[in-house]
Amino acid sequence: MEGDFIKINDWLLPLSWLYGLGVGFRNFLFDLGVLKSRAYKTPVIAVGNITVGGTGKTPHVEHLIRLLQDKMRVAVLSRGYKRKSSGLVIADASTPMKEIGDEPFQMKQKFPKVTVVVDKKRTRAIEHLEAQKNPVDVILLDDAFQHRYVKPGINILLVDYHRLIIYDKLLPAGRLREPLKGKDRADIVIVTKCPRELKPMEYRVITKAMNLFPYQHLYFSTLEYELLRPVFPHEKRTALLSGVNGQNVLLLTGIASPRQLLEDLTPQARSITPLSFADHHDFKKRDIRRLNEAFESLPSPKCIVTTEKDTARLIGVEGLSEAVRQQLYLLPVRIRFMSDQDELFNQNIIDYVHKNSRNSILAQAKDDHKSQNSHRSGDRPRTISFRNH
């Protein structure tokens, strides 16, 4: 598995060692309390990773939104990566994408009842939310596993199945943004983007290799796709597609890791032509010309498939040809927990929020375990927290 998924630049390992010293010192200051992590009255759930590149944060945050929004007032707090504004911005239905960033924009459009806030300074944003006349009941921190100035009640670490952190190295030789032991801060670890046919032996191998503490819960999730939707539904267009079967597909992505999407669509389409850009790519005129030309060159029947995040950045651009506008579809994605773990995960989250305390049941288990281990030494325990395997 290591050789299949991780490419290590060995000649950069000395620089990784220096990088690790810097990041490790920062974490050491937080652990000592020199740099302060602040806890809040409002339940806070953080979702993030310790790697460069996409691990599926947005679909997992959206899963939490769906789980909680009908039961309580939910806020999503993001830094608003690559937005054109500054400071604290609370989104409403008319807030443009450039003011809050593509991912917060996507979530506000999909979940209009949810409070979406962007602010690089998360502590200020949480204080603002708590000072409201009708404060929210739970705050979801997007991409905040390494933002240690806030102490969440539940800390969720996402790990891409295709780039398992246990086989990776620190930047710049690998993709880790901090040493592997950073995973010990997680209450929940989710191995994301798993193949749907993941075998029981692979569950056991990954679980053992992750080497988690008993207070940490390990889950596995995979991607599931909804029906294709037209990006420009108001346009005059041909018949809507129920799928890509028989189509020559131009797969347009500006995300960190399109690999799983490409693998999932390839067996269904007549052909797949990837047109890939960097994560959060701001589409320029030359990019639109390239898109128009690439689509024009494809044989019929043909369509363009893109992601929800890319759609947020495409709907306002100029220069799309009429053919592209008529055949441009977004592919909504959800996550599904594997091995019948959905109920267990959902209940862990709901139990924590209903306690309305900064200390979740998972965090309390962690504190108890650390207290017990402070009086003894020995090998680190391992856990298998999935069922039926």
Side-chain angles (χ1 to χ4, degrees):
M1 187 175 295
E2 176 179 358
D4 292 339
F5 302 134
I6 302 295
K7 181 179 179 181
I8 305 298
N9 297 312
D10 291 334
W11 62 278
L12 290 173
L13 287 175
L15 293 178
S16 295
W17 183 78
L18 293 174
Y19 174 84
L21 284 179
V23 176
F25 182 67
R26 176 181 183 270
N27 283 332
F28 179 67
L29 293 179
F30 274 108
D31 294 338
L32 283 181
V34 176
L35 296 178
K36 303 295 184 182
S37 295
R38 181 175 175 184
Y40 294 87
K41 294 180 180 179
T42 306
V44 176
I45 302 172
V47 180
N49 57 34
I50 58 172
T51 56
V52 174
T55 53
K57 292 186 297 295
T58 300
H60 285 80
V61 172
E62 290 183 351
H63 177 87
L64 292 171
I65 293 173
R66 291 187 184 95
L67 174 65
L68 299 171
Q69 68 172 348
D70 293 333
K71 304 175 180 67
M72 58 201 71
R73 294 183 297 273
V74 177
V76 176
L77 172 55
S78 170
R79 61 175 171 160
Y81 184 63
K82 283 197 171 182
R83 63 184 170 123
K84 303 302 181 182
S85 62
S86 60
L88 185 149
V89 178
I90 300 178
D92 58 32
S94 62
T95 304
M97 183 275 296
K98 291 186 177 181
E99 293 295 308
I100 55 177
D102 50 12
E103 291 166 343
F105 179 83
Q106 172 185 322
M107 286 185 274
K108 185 61 180 179
Q109 294 300 307
K110 291 178 71 173
F111 308 101
K113 294 192 304 181
V114 170
T115 301
V116 175
V117 182
V118 295
D119 195 348
K120 184 177 180 180
K121 192 172 182 180
R122 316 290 177 94
T123 52
R124 174 174 61 191
I126 295 176
E127 290 165 7
H128 178 86
L129 288 170
E130 290 194 331
Q132 299 303 300
K133 183 177 180 180
N134 294 309
V136 297
D137 299 306
V138 60
I139 298 171
L140 307 179
L141 289 185
D142 182 29
D143 195 13
F145 188 82
Q146 292 187 292
H147 188 86
R148 298 195 62 183
Y149 289 100
V150 174
K151 184 178 181 181
I154 293 182
N155 217 0
I156 300 177
L157 173 65
L158 304 182
V159 177
D160 189 340
Y161 169 87
H162 299 287
R163 298 198 307 264
L164 292 173
I165 58 175
I166 49 180
Y167 302 131
D168 212 339
K169 299 292 183 183
L170 282 168
L171 291 167
R175 293 177 178 266
L176 292 181
R177 296 189 293 192
E178 66 173 284
L180 185 59
K181 66 180 181 179
K183 68 182 174 64
D184 296 347
R185 299 197 306 274
D187 300 296
I188 291 174
V189 178
I190 306 176
V191 180
T192 68
K193 303 182 183 179
C194 295
R196 295 181 184 88
E197 67 279 5
L198 196 64
K199 295 178 174 58
M201 179 59 73
E202 290 186 88
Y203 283 98
R204 289 192 283 270
V205 169
I206 294 173
T207 299
K208 183 176 181 180
M210 287 297 295
N211 200 23
L212 300 180
F213 286 108
Y215 64 77
Q216 296 176 295
H217 289 218
L218 178 63
Y219 297 89
F220 296 81
S221 69
T222 189
L223 298 179
E224 286 192 338
Y225 304 102
E226 300 178 5
L227 294 177
L228 288 164
R229 301 177 190 171
V231 173
F232 300 102
H234 60 284
E235 302 283 343
K236 180 181 178 181
R237 55 193 310 111
T238 56
L240 299 183
L241 296 176
S242 59
V244 297
N245 292 339
Q247 296 282 323
N248 294 296
V249 176
L250 182 64
L251 182 59
L252 174 64
T253 58
I255 58 178
S257 180
R259 171 176 176 167
Q260 190 63 52
L261 181 59
L262 181 61
E263 289 183 356
D264 290 339
L265 289 183
T266 296
Q268 303 178 32
R270 178 177 295 185
S271 69
I272 296 279
T273 302
L275 183 57
S276 301
F277 297 90
D279 196 18
H280 303 279
H281 182 73
D282 187 13
F283 293 101
K284 307 294 185 182
K285 290 183 178 180
R286 63 180 180 273
D287 302 319
I288 301 305
R289 287 196 300 268
R290 184 181 170 191
L291 169 60
N292 291 339
E293 293 168 359
F295 184 65
E296 179 66 26
S297 66
L298 284 181
S300 296
K302 58 186 177 180
C303 67
I304 306 170
V305 175
T306 192
T307 69
E308 291 178 282
K309 188 167 78 169
D310 292 307
T311 297
R313 286 175 276 110
L314 280 168
I315 55 177
V317 301
E318 298 180 354
L320 292 173
S321 70
E322 185 63 22
V324 166
R325 294 178 70 89
Q326 290 191 21
Q327 294 296 338
L328 180 58
Y329 294 86
L330 66 92
L331 183 61
V333 62
R334 292 192 183 203
I335 63 106
R336 175 177 62 83
F337 286 98
M338 306 176 72
S339 190
D340 299 322
Q341 295 178 317
D342 299 75
E343 183 178 350
L344 180 61
F345 176 85
N346 293 347
Q347 197 59 53
N348 277 335
I349 298 299
I350 291 172
D351 285 348
Y352 158 63
V353 178
H354 280 173
K355 286 180 180 295
N356 197 29
S357 168
R358 73 174 188 266
N359 292 318
S360 69
I361 55 174
L362 298 175
Q364 186 61 51
K366 175 166 63 176
D367 292 341
D368 292 345
H369 178 75
K370 286 182 176 178
S371 177
Q372 293 171 8
N373 276 350
S374 65
H375 302 292
R376 69 187 185 193
S377 61
D379 294 336
R380 171 186 289 217
R382 298 186 176 113
T383 179
I384 298 177
S385 59
F386 58 86
R387 296 179 289 175
N388 299 331
H389 292 288

